[in-house]
Every structure is written in C-alpha cells, then in structure tokens.
Amino acid sequence: MSQQPSVLVRLCNWALHSEGSTRSSALIRICLVFLLWARWANELVLFREFATPDGLAYVLLGINFYAATTLMLIGLWTRFATAWTAVVVGSMVFYFGGSLARVPWTHHHTYLLAAATALCACTPCGKSYSLDRLLAVRRAEAAGTTPPPEVGNLWGLRLMSLQLSAIYFWGAVDKTTVAFLSGERMEHYLMWFYLGSDRPAAGWVSALLLAAAVTTVLLEYTLSVGLHIRRVRPYLVVAGLALHALFYVLVPVYTFSATMACLYLAVVDADRVHALIEQMQGRGRAS
Amino acid sequence: MQVLSQANRRRIRGVVFCLCAALMLLGPMATQVFDHHSKWLRPWQMFRDTGLQLLAVEFRVRQDGQERVIDRYQVLGYERATAPKWVRRVVKIRKLSRALCEALGPGTDLRIYAEWATLDGWQPRFAGEQNLCRHSRRKGR
C-alpha cells in the first residue's frame, strides 16, 4: 500500500538485525589498539606523572590502560576488554581531559578514538582474530564439532558508520561559510603551516585554494550520505581515503585520519571483507 | 545461562542504538547551531581556530614621503626557512617591530600594513597609521 513501513522495517533491519562476518569488527579492534598506543602509550608511561599531585590517579590510569588494551589486542575476554578500554579512554577524554583540564586529551582525534572504542565494544569483535576464537576452535575440535562461525550482529558497525556520517556532515556544515568556500580560510592554513605571514604571490594559488575548499566541502557532504549507498560506496571510499591521506601529510591531524580510515571498515560490507581475506589467503571466495 | 531473554536483548540493543545514533547525529547541533557548549556533546569543527589572528604583513620604510617595502628576513639576517617563528608567522608585532627598528637604525620611520585572519576571512588590521619605531617599547611582544 504505502512505501513508508517497508522503509522503516528495512532501516530497522539494517541497524539492528544485520548479521555478517565478524572479521571487520576484529580488524577494527586491532587497529584501534595500535592507534590508542600511538596516541597515549608514551604519555601514560608510569614514571611520567608519578611525582605529580595527581600521580596516583595517573599511575592507576596507566595500569588500566595497558592491561585493558593488551587484552583487547590479543582478544582475551574480548568484549569485556574492549568495554574496559572504552571506559578507560572515556575517562581520559571526559574526566582527565574535561574536568582536570588536560586539554590535548579532549581534541577531536582523541574523542574519536574514545567513541570508536566504545562502539567497538558493541561489535562481536572477539569472534575473529582473537584468543577467544582460538579457544573456541580448540573446544570445537576437542568435541568433534565444527568451529563456531565467524558471524555476529553488526549493529556496532552500523553505529560506527553513522559516526562517520556525523563527522563528515557536521564538518561540512562548519565549513559552509563564505570565508571557507572563497578559499580564504584555506589560505590561512597554508600560511600558518607553511608560508608564514606572507600571502602567496601567484594568482593560481588563490584559484587552487578556492577549488580545494569547494571540493572538500562537497566531498564531505557527499561522504556523509554516499557511504551508505552501495552503488557509489567503492568510489567514495577511495575518495575519502585520499582526502584523509592528504590531511595526514599536510596538516597535524595526529591519529584522526588513521582512525577514520580504520572506521571505513565499518561501511564496507562485512561479508565482502571476509571473502577478500579468504581470497588473499588462497581459500577462495567462500569460507 | 542467558541472563536476558532474546526479546529483552533486542529491546536494549534498540534503545542503545537510538540513543547513540541521536547523540552522534544530533549532538553537534548544540554547539554548531545553538552555540551551547558542553563537553558531552561533541561538535565537529576541525581546525576552526587554526590560523586565526595570523597577520599577512608588509613592512614599509617611509622616507621623504615615499614608502619602500622591506624584506623582514633580509633586514634581520634570517633565511626564510630557518627564521624563528615570531619572524615567520606574525601574530603579535611588538617584538618583531622592535627588532626591525633596531636593525634599521635610529630615525627610521617603519610602517606596517596588515590584514588578519578571522573566521570571516581576511580583515583589515593595520594600514601604516603610525611609525612603529617611534612607539616601539623595550620589552614584551
């Protein structure tokens, strides 16, 4: 009769009832641990804050950080370890960063890491590439049964894809100003990071900056929606990764680009990722 | 043993999904639309403050009613690539103008023409209104 109910049901199925390979979730889990270590491991070495007034809190934080992320990486009690890591990183962003005014811990790239870790705890990230998986396979072998399938509910990945959309959409909204779209804000960045206080003399630079600004904004709006459209997704994934690669080499984004690239695994069809891995390992398209 | 029934797990998952989705998709509105700042609601305004207050400068020496543009790097004896940050990336002018005045010698009439970077783009800041060497102080930036 009307299209509305079926769209809602499809949306609900997409969000909450999709089942698929757990390898994407596991890869995201592993990538996130390395990104967390890249960002924080050095700062949380126990001696750094040991003698400060908040030393005990930082030492406890460091111990929790290393223990939780190690378990998360090797995949032992994986869901618990990932949730534990999410709590630790969340406390770093909101309590240590927000309340104790450790401002660098509240930046966009650190918030994104915390959010991604929390969302990763909502995925079946321990069902692949983990000690949990190895133990499950061994148990199955000992019992003479087939190993449990690497399949789980993908609602956590759906949330990650929405997080990507939100970042692109609101990032584009923030840039939708005359100053940005005219290329002037781009010129500010160019001068701040590269040229210093001398405006570029060549006229083509202004044209290039204008084109870069408009392209960035258009691409961000497109990515916010297009990553969810199967037909255009492959092209947009390539375009998005290229955008983040440019950000990575041109401006100080810390772990932001790498985290975004890692989260792209959440928008790619999980079974397709599984099949590609099987293919890479010479085991054909189906597992 | 299942602590929660399948139906309850689904309900909880649905509620958590909706809350997270709403927080992620609508949370940035608080700051970006309503200008309400909260540490719990993350805006996505990357590099919003970067480069603000940067000056695009040109220093000129005024002599006999004529103005001549000077190269601040050359006057101070720096290479552009290795010059200190306060020479290369000008935000405050006191330290730089004092150094330039000292290098140019007494009696110099040094003027600054500059625009500064704002969220609304380039805005006029200085248009050679005053002789910097006359007003330069001994300390501070």
Side-chain angles (χ1 to χ4, degrees), chain A residues 106 174 184 187 197 199, chain B residues 42 48 55 88 90 115 122:
Chain A
T106 64
D174 188 53
E184 287 196 10
E187 193 175 30
S197 283
R199 292 184 78 166
Chain B
R42 165 70 45 166
R48 186 179 175 77
L55 292 171
R88 204 157 34 88
V90 183
E115 292 177 301
W122 292 113

Side-chain angles (χ1 to χ4, degrees), chain A residues 193-272:
Chain A
F193 292 118
Y194 292 95
L195 303 182
S197 283
D198 305 285
R199 292 184 78 166
W204 61 265
V205 177
S206 299
L208 184 70
L209 292 172
L210 187 145
V214 173
T215 306
T216 302
V217 173
L218 283 179
L219 184 57
E220 286 190 342
Y221 276 123
T222 310
L223 285 167
S224 70
V225 178
L227 283 176
H228 300 282
I229 301 171
R230 190 183 292 261
R231 199 178 302 169
V232 293
R233 190 183 297 144
Y235 309 104
L236 289 180
V237 165
V238 172
L241 290 175
L243 181 74
H244 288 296
L246 273 177
F247 288 160
Y248 214 179
V249 297
L250 291 176
V251 288
V253 292
Y254 303 94
T255 52
F256 184 81
S257 278
T259 310
M260 292 292 276
C262 167
L263 292 182
Y264 269 48
L265 276 168
V267 295
V268 180
D269 183 64
D271 290 331
R272 178 90 181 113

Side-chain angles (χ1 to χ4, degrees), chain A residues 62-140:
Chain A
I63 290 168
N64 272 277
F65 178 82
Y66 288 117
T69 49
T70 303
L71 286 178
M72 183 177 162
L73 177 68
I74 62 175
L76 183 62
W77 310 310
T78 315
R79 293 291 287 274
F80 165 74
T82 310
W84 183 14
T85 305
V87 170
V88 171
V89 178
S91 75
M92 289 162 70
V93 172
F94 292 108
Y95 177 68
F96 288 90
S99 299
L100 299 186
R102 194 156 180 152
V103 177
W105 288 10
T106 64
H107 287 175
H108 291 93
H109 68 284
T110 51
Y111 177 87
L112 179 60
L113 273 175
T117 310
L119 297 178
C120 192
C122 302
T123 67
C125 57
K127 285 192 169 182
S128 296
Y129 304 132
S130 63
L131 271 180
D132 288 340
R133 167 72 184 167
L134 181 66
L135 294 172
V137 170
R138 282 186 179 167
R139 275 196 299 272

